[in-house]
Amino acid sequence: MRKIVGLLAAVSLLLVACGDGAASGGDPGRKTIRIAYQAFPSGDLIVKNQGLLEDALPDYQITWTKFDSGASINTAFVAGSVDIAAIGSSPVARGLSAPLNIPYQVAFVLDVAGDNEALVARNGSGVTDVAGLRGKKVGTPFASTAHYSLLAALDRAGIKESELTIVDLEPQDILAAWTRGDLDAAYSWLPSLDELRKTGTVLVTSRELATAGKPTLDLGVVATDFVQAHPAAVDAWRKAQSQALNLIHDDPAAAAKSVGAELNLSPEEAQRQLSQGVFLKPEDLASPDWLGTSAAKGRLADNLVSAAQFLKDQQKIDAVPDLATVQAAIYTEGLPDALG
């Protein structure tokens, strides 16, 4: 109940901050796009840095707002203050489930988590494996892919959540708490993950958990009313994201230059961080493994239902949406041609 009250309070603040336009995503005459992005290495940062969407849609006013986690992005969607967002698969699974039931569509796969998300034990904590976390304090952003992966790692090691203390911290707050010695371990993502690894030991990565059947992804989602009102703009956004994926594969140095500019990293460091993620090729997105097509939705929907079931088992959500509901939330209109 506290979480629901807190969510409603946050929504109220967002509505006040956004004014009358906060819930106007379905207005066909509104020529603005409000994009929520996160500061992790991805094609989304290339789209932002190179102005690919602005070039494709000169008649639209496009605003980019940085968010620290998927939980806060879900709150923004509930408030009607975001049209398009980069968000992890675990918060999307939450968003499509009760009590949130957010009306948005999964329209792109930005990346599959690999070594760019990991659980790290701080040097001096005495923790050498996941089982050693009993009685310890671990930081992670709640309702994020890292949180989901932490719970999966604990489950795999036979550890109950009640056997340790999990603290809800955003990546930058994790670094501060880590430096003070307040945490024994943390599950986070790049670029903050690199700082943790300097004085810690990796216990498990999201790549390893994916191999064990608990994959996590970063997804591009679009508010349903925006999809309905601006389908051509959504197509332009998908093509811009496809351009970015192609650049990551075809010209890693150019991709790293753009990502580095957004993250205040050298091109060399940005390229190293990009190499730790798993980036699909645009043509893969319409395959049965991922989004699929309008005629046959892909297995991404099954992945999200599985994630929701795990969250329900962990008592993090009230109910699991059925497969048909999640398939209806996978936006495949025009695929594969719409990817350019």
Side-chain angles (χ1 to χ4, degrees):
M1 185 62 185
R2 288 181 182 176
K3 291 184 179 179
I4 296 174
V5 171
L7 175 61
L8 292 175
V11 168
S12 297
L13 287 173
L14 275 170
L15 287 171
V16 170
C18 296
D20 293 339
S24 59
D27 179 4
R30 185 173 63 81
K31 303 285 284 186
T32 62
I33 305 177
R34 302 160 301 175
I35 301 177
Y37 76 99
Q38 297 192 62
F40 55 76
S42 69
D44 196 46
L45 293 186
I46 296 172
V47 174
K48 177 180 182 293
N49 180 260
Q50 297 191 4
L52 299 182
L53 193 56
E54 287 81 356
D55 289 344
L57 298 171
D59 295 336
Y60 281 77
Q61 179 184 349
I62 300 169
T63 59
W64 294 77
T65 303
K66 180 177 173 292
F67 285 75
D68 290 326
S69 69
S72 57
I73 289 175
N74 272 341
T75 301
F77 270 112
V78 172
S81 60
V82 170
D83 301 311
I84 299 175
I87 181 172
S89 54
S90 179
V92 169
R94 283 175 179 259
L96 294 175
S97 304
L100 295 181
N101 298 313
I102 299 173
Y104 52 33
Q105 305 280 298
V106 179
F108 210 85
V109 178
L110 299 172
D111 66 78
V112 181
D115 300 324
N116 52 347
E117 286 194 6
L119 174 61
V120 184
R122 185 175 53 80
N123 292 344
S125 65
V127 178
T128 58
D129 55 21
V130 178
L133 292 175
R134 287 186 174 89
K136 301 296 185 178
K137 183 181 289 186
V138 183
T140 196
F142 280 12
S144 68
T145 51
H147 188 196
Y148 171 87
S149 295
L150 172 60
L151 296 177
L154 295 175
D155 184 66
R156 191 172 70 145
I159 303 174
K160 295 179 180 179
E161 188 177 351
S162 59
E163 293 182 90
L164 66 158
T165 301
I166 302 178
V167 186
D168 182 11
L169 295 171
E170 300 295 351
Q172 289 305 311
D173 296 323
I174 285 175
L175 289 179
W178 184 275
T179 301
R180 293 192 304 267
D182 294 344
L183 298 174
D184 298 299
Y187 209 123
S188 191
W189 53 79
L190 291 173
S192 63
L193 174 61
D194 259 357
E195 293 301 314
L196 301 179
R197 287 191 287 218
K198 289 178 181 178
T199 54
T201 302
V202 174
L203 303 180
V204 67
T205 69
S206 293
R207 187 188 299 274
E208 182 181 340
L209 291 171
T211 302
K214 288 291 184 293
T216 53
L217 313 94
D218 290 311
L219 304 173
V221 300
V222 185
T224 300
D225 59 2
F226 188 85
V227 171
Q228 294 168 347
H230 304 274
V234 175
D235 282 350
W237 171 77
R238 292 192 292 185
K239 288 178 181 177
Q241 293 290 349
S242 295
Q243 273 184 266
L245 284 183
N246 282 329
L247 191 68
I248 290 172
H249 286 282
D250 299 338
D251 194 344
K257 183 178 180 180
S258 289
V259 170
E262 292 296 322
L263 297 177
N264 294 317
L265 300 173
S266 69
E268 294 77 17
E269 177 61 19
Q271 189 165 346
R272 189 186 69 80
Q273 292 196 8
L274 280 169
S275 71
Q276 297 177 58
V278 179
F279 296 93
L280 305 176
K281 293 186 176 179
E283 56 266 30
D284 295 333
L285 269 64
S287 73
D289 286 334
W290 302 107
L291 296 172
T293 64
S294 296
K297 295 295 177 77
R299 287 188 283 275
L300 175 59
D302 301 83
N303 174 285
L304 291 172
V305 170
S306 176
Q309 182 61 60
F310 181 78
L311 293 171
K312 175 64 167 59
D313 294 342
Q314 297 287 330
Q315 300 181 332
K316 301 302 180 185
I317 60 175
D318 293 347
V320 178
D322 59 37
L323 180 60
T325 297
V326 178
Q327 286 177 330
I330 306 294
Y331 185 66
T332 55
E333 189 68 30
L335 293 185
D337 295 341
L339 297 175

